[in-house]
Every structure is written in structure tokens, then in C-alpha cells.
Amino acid sequence: MGSALASDRAVYLPGTVRVAAKILVVGHFAVGKTTFVGSLSEIRPLRTEETMTQAGALVDDLRGTEDKTTTTVAMDFGRLTLSESLVLYLFGAPGQRRFTRLWRDMTHGALGALVLADTRRLEQSFPVMAVLEEHGLPYAVAVNHFQGAPRFAESEVREALDLLPETPLVTCDARDRTSSTQALIALVQHLQSRQARISQEQA
Ligand SMILES: Nc1nc2c(ncn2[C@@H]2O[C@H](COP(=O)(O)OP(=O)(O)OP(=O)(O)O)[C@@H](O)[C@H]2O)c(=O)[nH]1
Ligand SMILES: [Mg+2]
């Protein structure tokens, strides 16, 4: 692993790539999903941003992200070549709960998900994690740290989100490519060790 950090954002996939995996980037409204996919993608990310209007003001919680003017209405799409042989296709979900049906559809064919969370509203992560659990999709959690957001000990965040001991929990800055890559690597390592465990049990 590691070539993704050093390489330029290449348009074409290297011929050495053998495995392509669909990874979801999910989380509640305005947690930084579009920013995360945009920081990581080596191709120009596909975005489906629309301007937010007064109509959404009563339902969309903009606390802490008052500068935000657009929201994802379908999905974000990006690509990250993580090693010579592995490429990740990143699908960023829309954030509002009215898109729950789309979240379900997006789980099809996905290998795993990265749940972005914000310590100012951890409880808003539950509906997202519930959909993943309902579909048996393994996930890791990355706290996207916003300025002024409270910092809690890892054990406190784990307890608040009711995470299983094996679920990875990391902190990231979705605007930073290196930090976002580390979060994704935590998920990929989790998926690999989970797969190894399943194969061992089946042997
Ligand atoms: N301080 C800080 N701001 C961030 C970070 N990540 C995203 N932002 C800002 O937070 C706002 C929300 O980011 P988005 O990437 O649009 O969030 P989203 O989860 O895609 O939002 P929806 O698609 O509307 O649910 C934007 O104004 C970003 O610039 C971060 O790590 N730190
Ligand atoms: Mg978005």
C-alpha cells in the first residue's frame, strides 16, 4: 500500500490493478462526505450538488456548518488506487434521512462503508449505521473533526455510538488527503482481516 499518497491524480488505471472494490462513504447531513470523496479521488469526482433553499431550513441541521450552501442530492463518485493491485470506487451518499431508500440501494455490491461522524451530533449517526447493519455491511467509523467540536476519548465515542470492539474508530480531517487516506486504510484493513477470519472459519 502507499502508492496513492505519492502518485499524481492519474486518469487511467494502472494495468497491475486486479481488484476493484465499491466502498460507501456515508454519514448524516453535512458531516463532510462530499469533501472526503473530493479530497481522495484521483479522478475529478462526480458530484450532484444542489443549492439549499429556505424549504430545507426547518429540516436540515446546519449547526456548525453555516457556510454550507449546497447539498448532495444523489451521490458523489470518486476513485482511489490504493495499491498496485487494488482500486477503490468511492460512493458518497446524500445525508438527509429522506434519502434512506437511496442509502439502501447504494449498499448493493459494496464491500464496506466508512461512516463519517461529528462529535457535535453523534446521535445522528445511528440511522446511517442501522441501514448498514440491516444489510450486513461491515464498516469503520471516522470522526471528521470540525473546529470547535468537542474532543472525546476514544472509549467515550465508542460507548456513545455503541460500537462493537472490532469496529475501527479513527479521527480524520475530510479536507486533508493524507488524513482521509488513513481513515480509508483503517476500513480496508478491517475488511481484509474480517475476510481472512471468515475464510478460516469456512476452511
Ligand atoms: N472544519 C472542517 N470543515 C469541514 C470538514 N469537512 C467538511 N467541512 C466543511 O463542512 C461543510 C459540509 O461538507 P460537505 O462535504 O458538503 O458535507 P456532506 O456530508 O457531503 O453534506 P450533505 O451531502 O449535504 O449531507 C462544507 O462547508 C465543508 O467545507 C472538516 O474536516 N473540517
Ligand atoms: Mg454531500
Side-chain angles (χ1 to χ4, degrees):
M1 289 199 187
S3 65
L5 293 179
S7 69
D8 289 333
R9 296 185 175 206
V11 175
Y12 300 107
L13 270 186
T16 50
V17 167
R18 293 287 170 267
V19 181
K22 174 181 175 181
I23 299 289
L24 302 187
V25 178
V26 295
H28 60 69
F29 173 66
V31 73
K33 302 173 294 292
T34 299
T35 307
F36 186 91
V37 173
S39 301
L40 278 181
S41 185
E42 61 204 7
I43 53 172
R44 191 152 63 93
L46 170 78
R47 288 185 175 151
T48 58
E49 295 293 290
E50 289 294 343
T51 304
M52 292 188 293
T53 63
Q54 260 327 96
L58 293 175
V59 280
D60 297 337
D61 184 355
L62 270 170
R63 272 175 302 147
T65 51
E66 287 83 3
D67 294 341
K68 187 172 161 66
T69 56
T70 63
T71 186
T72 305
V73 294
M75 67 175 76
D76 307 300
F77 176 75
R79 191 190 81 196
L80 178 66
T81 311
L82 207 55
S83 74
E84 273 185 0
S85 59
L86 174 65
V87 65
L88 303 181
Y89 288 105
L90 305 173
F91 289 73
Q96 290 99 337
R97 286 193 66 183
R98 54 184 176 272
F99 289 114
T100 306
R101 188 163 177 172
L102 181 54
W103 301 348
R104 291 184 207 287
D105 291 345
M106 288 176 79
T107 62
H108 291 299
L111 214 60
L114 188 69
V115 180
L116 294 185
D118 178 346
T119 54
R120 296 168 299 183
R121 30 182 160 170
L122 286 174
E123 74 291 349
Q124 291 185 21
S125 303
F126 284 117
V128 177
M129 296 194 298
V131 169
L132 301 177
E133 284 166 15
E134 187 187 310
H135 289 80
L137 200 64
Y139 60 86
V141 177
V143 170
N144 184 24
H145 193 73
F146 287 81
Q147 223 171 356
R151 286 184 187 270
F152 299 116
E154 182 181 329
S155 56
E156 290 177 303
V157 178
R158 282 190 166 283
E159 195 181 335
L161 290 177
D162 197 18
L163 298 184
L164 293 172
E166 63 266 28
T167 304
L169 173 65
V170 295
T171 301
C172 74
D173 181 334
R175 299 163 300 177
D176 180 83
R177 190 167 192 228
T178 307
S179 162
S180 300
T181 305
Q182 293 306 327
L184 213 50
I185 288 173
L187 169 65
V188 171
Q189 286 174 338
H190 175 55
L191 298 178
Q192 285 174 332
S193 56
R194 186 173 173 273
Q195 190 52 48
R197 205 174 53 241
I198 292 171
S199 305
Q200 221 170 26
E201 283 166 10
Q202 286 171 347

